[in-house]
Amino acid sequence: MSWNARPTAVAAVVLGLTILGLVGPGSAADDKNPRADIDKIAEMLAKDPKADVSKDAAMLKSLGLKPVMKLFKLRKAGGAGVGVQADTIKPDGIEAKIDSLREDELSPAALAKESDALKMLGYRVVALAAFAEVKAPAKDDKKKKVADWVAWSKEMKTGGLALAAAVEKKDPAGVKKAADVMGKSCIKCHDIFRDDD
């Protein structure tokens, strides 16, 4: 092949891979905002809370850990937020909402008002935790133990499912308890594994 023909051949290959979704703006590897991928898993769980989403999470393994974990932040800081529209539920961030649910038990009226958003928050946490589990380190490194990473990821999944179930049962005390499980799991993991953001 002549040098003049190489750019055309490369362009044809890139175009073909883009059409197949293997490279380009729509591919998981280039995804700057992984929310859509995580939300697909959360929506599967909303339809069937017992669904095994480990294979779906494994398909996202090429995504970076930090961009995915950023979804826990406030919506205005690039996080997924809570609820469909910005700032309709306060605080409008997964981590911040979990913290607020741990502190104060919701009234039955507040729980009814926020129920759809809180159920989806729970399922989104399960999806994020499933992703975190597949991103476990390959080996132990001093205090950073693979077994701890996996255990805390599983705790997050348990807490997320418990939150969704408590919301379904209209159980404010159960919501608070599930939020506490998730919050403690986050703290334990971050104390050992979290690098400066």
Side-chain angles (χ1 to χ4, degrees):
M1 176 182 300
S2 73
W3 283 105
N4 291 340
R6 281 186 193 268
T8 304
V10 170
V13 169
V14 170
L15 177 62
L17 291 173
T18 301
I19 290 168
L20 292 173
L22 300 175
V23 300
S27 72
D30 292 339
D31 195 356
K32 300 287 189 251
N33 182 359
R35 179 179 174 171
D37 294 318
I38 292 299
D39 280 353
K40 283 179 191 171
I41 296 172
E43 288 162 12
M44 288 172 51
L45 289 160
K47 291 176 186 166
D48 179 8
K50 294 180 181 180
D52 180 2
V53 295
S54 55
K55 288 181 183 175
D56 302 280
M59 290 176 65
L60 305 180
K61 193 170 183 178
S62 65
L63 295 174
L65 186 63
K66 282 189 177 186
V68 175
M69 291 297 112
K70 186 177 181 181
L71 294 175
F72 278 99
K73 294 187 177 293
L74 293 170
R75 191 185 311 248
K76 65 183 177 185
V82 181
V84 177
Q85 293 194 343
D87 296 319
T88 54
I89 295 180
K90 304 282 185 165
D92 193 14
I94 295 172
E95 184 176 9
K97 188 62 177 178
I98 289 170
D99 289 343
S100 75
L101 293 171
R102 292 178 72 200
E103 291 174 20
D104 299 312
E105 188 173 299
L106 287 175
S107 69
L111 179 54
K113 180 181 175 190
E114 298 182 3
S115 65
D116 290 342
L118 292 178
K119 273 196 281 190
M120 189 49 71
L121 182 149
Y123 295 133
R124 193 174 278 143
V125 166
V126 176
L128 288 162
F131 171 80
E133 191 173 350
V134 301
K135 294 294 275 191
K139 60 183 180 173
D140 292 347
D141 181 18
K142 299 178 185 168
K143 291 195 290 186
K144 297 179 179 182
K145 307 290 185 201
V146 175
D148 289 339
W149 178 288
V150 171
W152 294 327
S153 297
K154 288 180 190 265
E155 277 181 25
M156 283 296 290
K157 286 195 278 190
T158 299
L161 289 171
L163 175 69
V167 171
E168 189 70 33
K169 292 177 189 168
K170 301 178 179 147
D171 176 10
V175 168
K176 189 175 192 296
K177 184 177 177 182
D180 197 50
V181 168
M182 291 184 288
K184 286 178 179 174
S185 177
C186 285
I187 291 166
K188 289 185 281 189
C189 190
H190 290 177
D191 282 349
I192 302 297
F193 288 100
R194 188 180 210 168
D195 296 325
D196 293 334
D197 292 358

